[in-house]
Amino acid sequence: MVPGLGFLYAGLARRKSALTLLWVVVASNAVVIFQWYLWGYSLAFSSTATNGFIGNLAHVGLRNVLNEASPGSPLIPELLYSFYQLQFAAVTVGILMGAVAERGRVLPAMVFAFIWATLVYAPVACWAWNVNGWAFKWGVLDYAGGGPVEIGSGVGGLAYAWVLGRRAQRELVNFRPHNVALVCLGTFMLWFGWIGFNAGSAFGANLRAAVAGWNTGIAAAFSGIVWCLLDFRHHRKYTMVGFCSGTIAGLVAATPSSGMIPPWASVALGVVAGICCNYATKIKHWIRVDDALDLFGEHGVAGIIGLLFNGIFAADYIISLDEVNTAIPGGVMQRNYKQLYIQFGYVCACSGYVFVVTALICKTMDLIPGLSLRGSDEAELVGMDEYDIGEFVQDFVEVRRAFDTWNPPSLPGDVKEEIHAAGDRHGGYTDINAYDTHSIHRIESRSQTRTVVNGELAEKTPDITVGVIDADTVTAGDRHGYTDTNGHLHVHPQRRSQSRTRE
């Protein structure tokens, strides 16, 4: 699931920041493995802690974690259970890393990941899944992580994006995913992993696992179709990004409920999740938080919907199919009316705690020299890939060389610069017609962005003439516009903005 998340996020971003998102998702996995081994598992699942809020350090470094019965099921050893729960923690932090999109620095994000997994994920996981957690004792039904995983990543991502701040206005003009094929690949890798994510939470090859697998597929399918139809209603297009977004919303909604509700209820769950999450992606515009990849609109909202569905449709005959949890009551449909307000209280507690503590962590890190979460304006302009990574998800140097062979660009002063071989992959080209084989002509191909307001350039550039364009942004060499070899700026007809969500 972690590689699937990386591909999904990379495809949804601009090309100049795509590899950064892939990097933070994959690298956060390594950070969480260390954190979970060191004390994460102990803080979430140590059975000797009785405060109901967070565990103790009895299992630091997986001490005394071997063949004892696990907290999740007496049928599997605790060492295996700890490894399985590690995957939940890693995926949660990986989802949250989408909040850094196109302006967040990678090193502070890794420090944040370690702290967040300790102060946010571990306590919330303890509430619902530790036998001494207050939510577990209260009777909350959270099958595979509506609180720790989905509310944790969705609401936590919203808080991170809020502290990080909005992208520059020029980055919001004509924003669209750079590679929809990667979006599709990542989505279906996630779908495959999510079946194991949910079915595996039955902790055995039993009928409850089979029901969870079916519910996961049903909710994802119906949510994807509904989202796609809503997009068609507004734009008359069956968008691939829309279908993938709806599919993920259905998978998220199934996370807390797939092992709790009957399959027919998952049909309703998929439809409701598709509709609600589609419109929830507009919340970021109302509150003016640049949640670029819609972590709250999909993960946060869908996780809440799944938890509330447990309060209504949970069935004791589904829950007991694992032959372990045989005394858990169902929801409102089985006349257990209090289950709905229990679920609602749990949703409020998780959402409030996650948002406040995540925001405090981010604000505190911003005050520490060297750990500010956001990159510079220049980094945002040239792309976080060049600023932080030094590599790119796709490299078009060979294409540029071919183009320059046919139509070599000219700059004032005939700039010549000797470069290292490694520089070629960042946009240089070699003049193959030069008689002096040691002379290398480098033409800077870095994207040059000029903001044009009422015919005036924000930064004066010689020999460039423009028409009157109101508050538009034109990027040389990009799909939005280009500069010809005589230095005249040409603007493509403005394309409709297409992002992961409907505008």
Side-chain angles (χ1 to χ4, degrees), residues 87-279:
Q87 312 311 315
F88 282 70
V91 168
T92 304
V93 175
I95 296 170
L96 195 153
M97 287 294 103
V100 311
E102 302 196 340
R103 76 261 198 215
R105 297 173 59 216
V106 298
L107 177 60
M110 295 303 100
V111 176
F112 169 85
F114 185 90
I115 298 172
W116 190 88
T118 301
L119 298 182
V120 179
Y121 182 83
V124 178
C126 176
W127 299 354
W129 292 332
N130 192 311
V131 292
N132 294 315
W134 67 263
F136 184 90
K137 290 182 175 180
W138 195 26
V140 167
L141 300 180
D142 189 353
Y143 175 66
V149 179
E150 308 305 351
I151 292 178
S153 60
V155 176
L158 183 70
Y160 194 105
W162 173 63
V163 176
L164 202 59
R166 293 169 61 83
R167 287 168 289 177
Q169 185 61 33
R170 65 176 177 266
E171 301 299 323
L172 301 177
V173 175
N174 286 334
F175 175 79
R176 63 200 307 162
H178 98 277
N179 192 323
V180 178
L182 279 182
V183 174
C184 186
L185 173 66
T187 298
F188 285 91
M189 289 179 69
L190 284 171
W191 195 339
F192 179 78
W194 226 294
I195 293 174
F197 195 82
N198 288 345
S201 292
F203 303 116
N206 50 55
L207 283 177
R208 193 183 187 192
V211 170
W214 262 109
N215 284 341
T216 302
I218 290 171
F222 275 86
S223 182
I225 292 170
V226 168
W227 190 304
C228 204
L229 291 176
L230 284 173
D231 280 356
F232 179 81
R233 176 176 175 267
H234 288 277
H235 303 300
R236 298 298 171 186
K237 302 291 183 183
Y238 299 104
T239 64
M240 189 71 233
V241 173
F243 180 78
C244 290
S245 298
T247 298
I248 291 172
L251 293 171
V252 171
T255 298
S257 62
S258 57
M260 301 284 183
I261 65 177
W264 62 264
S266 288
V267 175
L269 177 63
V271 172
V272 172
I275 295 172
C276 292
C277 292
N278 186 289
Y279 287 103

Side-chain angles (χ1 to χ4, degrees), residues 14 168-173 377-378 380-381 449 451 473 475:
R14 281 188 171 87
Q169 185 61 33
R170 65 176 177 266
E171 301 299 323
L172 301 177
V173 175
D377 289 341
E378 179 187 2
E380 187 178 349
L381 174 61
T449 301
T451 302
T473 301
T475 306

Side-chain angles (χ1 to χ4, degrees), residues 4-15 17-19 21-22 102 175-186 241 293 393-394 498-500:
L5 272 174
F7 289 136
L8 172 69
Y9 287 170
L12 287 169
R14 281 188 171 87
R15 182 171 61 88
S17 297
L19 191 63
L21 280 168
L22 183 57
E102 302 196 340
F175 175 79
R176 63 200 307 162
H178 98 277
N179 192 323
V180 178
L182 279 182
V183 174
C184 186
L185 173 66
V241 173
L293 302 184
V393 72
Q394 293 165 335
Q498 177 184 348
S499 65
R500 180 180 178 182

